[in-house]
Amino acid sequence: MLQPNSLPRTRLVAALPFAVAAIFAQAQDKPGVSGTELRYQAGSSPLGAVEMHQDVNPKAPVMTKAEFEQARQIYFQRCAGCHGVLRKGATGKPLTPDITLSKGTDYLKVFIAYGSPAGMPNWQTSGELTEKDVDLMARYVQQTPPQPPEYGMKEMKATWKVLVPPEQRPKKKMNSYNIQNVFSTTLRDAGEVALIDGDTKKIINIVKTGYAVHISRLSASGRYLFVIGRDAKINMIDLWMEKPGTVAEIRVGLEARSVDTSKFKGYEDKFAIAGTYWPPQFVIMKGDTLEPLKLVSTRGLTVDTQEYHPEPRVAAIVANHHKPEFVVNVKETGKVLLVNYADLNNLKMTEVAAARFLHDGGWESSKRYVLMAANQSNKVAVIDTVEGKLASLVDVGKIPHPGRGANFVHPKFGPVWATSHLGDDSISLIGTDPKKHSKDAWRVVQTLKGQGGGSLFIKTNPKSSHLYVDTPLNPDAKVNQSVAVFDIKNLDKGYTVLPIGEWSGLGEGAKRVVQPEYNKAGDEVWFSVWSAKNLQSAVVVVDDKTLKLKTVIKDPRLITPTGHFNVYNTQHDIY
């Protein structure tokens, strides 16, 4: 058996079949995936801790149970984000035995070790995996994929807890905090969120949550804060309590990303919804207790090839302001579901065909059209939530990742919505006014050049003249520890760099700067400075008018802060 890392490159290539050698040579000239994309796509999955059955395939290479378990852990830590839980393919290619067995172990080891121009990371030469790991994974992907257990209504109800019933909660706000200016800051590796007073910059409470909280969302009233972890645990936090804390919780699946609440008039605070990566489904819950009411699977056919996909994951969810509907992104099938919650017993859903690999997005300024990034398709889908149909598919840069995007009035093109990108340094500005600027609506009217790829979030505010773009996944420390700021009134002059990581005053550590977020007044911008779990992190606050450092929030409890969400801006979809 060949050991790719033990031979000189020339001997290795000569020893391989011609087809493999050619691909190997291409991979050296053009690495298949950037470090930026690798860090984003290969994030660990909570499913690695879930017990699964090993189905022994007599045609596959022999693996002991211990080897299989070790390889499964690696797969869910590194690979499932691209290739899917069932290895049927997601943003990456399928890795099922009908494909992998015919390739053979030696062939697969080369691909895993050195990557390919088609997008396979160079796991061994990058130092991410050892030679032994590569051999293990080459054998593992030839085995029958183990399937995690399903997770239905019975399992949800077994985890559902109402810690403080609605009738026992305060009838009025019992604290003196300006809760509209409270920030919910994710403490990723601690499994917590920090509630920070935006006025005093003091921590109000640290709330224990699930693993790697992904987002925070507010009820329509602004009273309840909902956070969801990647392990699919939801905490419902009552901001009216003397010390805001969890009043209800539930685990809605085994892996998840999204939660939101009903916003349409007459349904405020009535329902909550959460979507899961595994199983692929969403659940509608009571808005005051998280009691699960309606469970809907998203398994189905893709929009392009009309092929069945067994695990189309639910990515972003937003609440429609014009109808009693939730807008649900189904990632792998490329469908946007408009889910009408007026009658859960006779649920009505409008299926909008968009583009595959839908991920995140948000409203344009009028809140009629929602723009959703289909990141691996390099497109943004524009959904008309009044007409209930696709308004446009807009070609943008490589791997758009807008968060919820950024809305502002362009000096020439009128209202625009902006997205930055993981895969390149571009910032795409899309016209969003089909009435007064019809010729510029739903097209990229201007492309800005930022610091580099690896951006996760872009942000502005109606009261600001600045546009902030982070780059936390860029491999260059100078880039990932800073942010680019554009003057909206003079976009052509380029960007100003703010050295947020340096301003934090932290010592050693990655100091990646992530997710700009405004305070309620729109005159401060908060940034998480994200270092390792065993090192100090911080939150840096910048004066939006002067672009000068205002303050640094440091506390031993701020462990790996990443996303943060201002209550008022999140409640009212201001971005």
Side-chain angles (χ1 to χ4, degrees), residues 53-311:
H53 174 68
Q54 179 182 358
D55 185 0
V56 178
N57 185 341
K59 297 181 181 180
V62 174
M63 293 191 82
T64 66
K65 182 174 177 59
E67 286 180 323
F68 184 86
E69 277 302 302
Q70 183 183 351
R72 187 175 72 83
Q73 295 291 329
I74 294 173
Y75 181 82
F76 282 102
Q77 288 170 0
R78 309 282 190 178
C79 315
C82 280
H83 298 287
V85 170
L86 303 178
R87 305 210 312 261
K88 295 280 189 179
T91 54
K93 300 291 185 183
L95 291 176
T96 44
D98 59 311
I99 298 169
T100 55
L101 280 170
S102 64
K103 301 295 184 185
T105 301
D106 291 346
Y107 185 102
L108 292 167
K109 284 169 68 174
V110 171
F111 273 94
I112 297 169
Y114 295 97
S116 80
M120 184 67 178
N122 54 324
W123 287 108
Q124 184 174 323
T125 57
S126 68
E128 297 283 339
L129 296 180
T130 66
E131 184 178 329
K132 183 179 178 181
D133 292 335
V134 168
D135 175 74
L136 199 67
M137 297 311 295
R139 288 183 286 138
Y140 175 78
V141 296
Q142 296 175 72
Q143 312 294 323
T144 302
Q147 179 168 323
E150 294 295 320
Y151 195 99
M153 189 64 76
K154 178 182 176 182
E155 289 76 14
M156 288 184 201
K157 288 189 174 181
T159 68
W160 172 49
K161 298 176 183 177
V162 180
L163 305 177
V164 183
E167 62 273 14
Q168 296 179 19
R169 297 174 197 165
K171 306 304 179 187
K172 62 180 181 179
K173 189 164 78 78
M174 300 300 291
N175 58 64
S176 60
Y177 301 116
N178 176 12
I179 63 173
Q180 290 194 327
N181 199 34
V182 167
F183 287 75
S184 174
T185 299
T186 298
L187 306 180
R188 188 185 187 280
D189 293 340
E192 299 169 338
V193 294
L195 303 180
I196 305 177
D197 186 335
D199 294 348
T200 66
K201 314 299 188 291
K202 302 295 185 182
I203 294 176
I204 296 169
N205 195 14
I206 302 288
V207 180
K208 201 73 184 172
T209 61
Y211 162 76
V213 166
H214 194 68
I215 60 170
S216 299
R217 291 292 182 261
L218 270 296
S219 65
S221 67
R223 173 176 180 172
Y224 293 112
L225 175 72
F226 297 79
V227 298
I228 188 167
R230 288 182 59 180
D231 60 356
K233 182 182 177 184
I234 301 172
N235 286 67
M236 180 181 175
I237 298 167
D238 186 356
L239 298 176
W240 279 15
M241 295 170 66
E242 184 175 356
K243 186 176 183 180
T246 298
V247 293
E249 62 182 45
I250 190 172
R251 193 176 183 193
V252 294
L254 298 177
E255 185 172 3
R257 298 293 190 282
S258 53
V259 67
D260 213 330
T261 65
S262 52
K263 298 291 198 300
F264 185 63
K265 187 175 181 180
Y267 291 89
E268 297 94 337
D269 294 20
K270 185 171 183 179
F271 295 117
I273 182 174
T276 51
Y277 270 28
W278 187 268
Q281 59 194 26
F282 63 85
V283 61
I284 298 175
M285 301 160 283
K286 288 188 68 176
D288 59 351
T289 64
L290 295 181
E291 179 184 359
L293 301 173
K294 185 72 173 182
L295 185 60
V296 180
S297 172
T298 54
R299 292 180 170 106
L301 305 178
T302 60
V303 296
D304 46 8
T305 58
Q306 301 287 296
E307 294 176 282
Y308 178 74
H309 199 292
E311 54 167 310

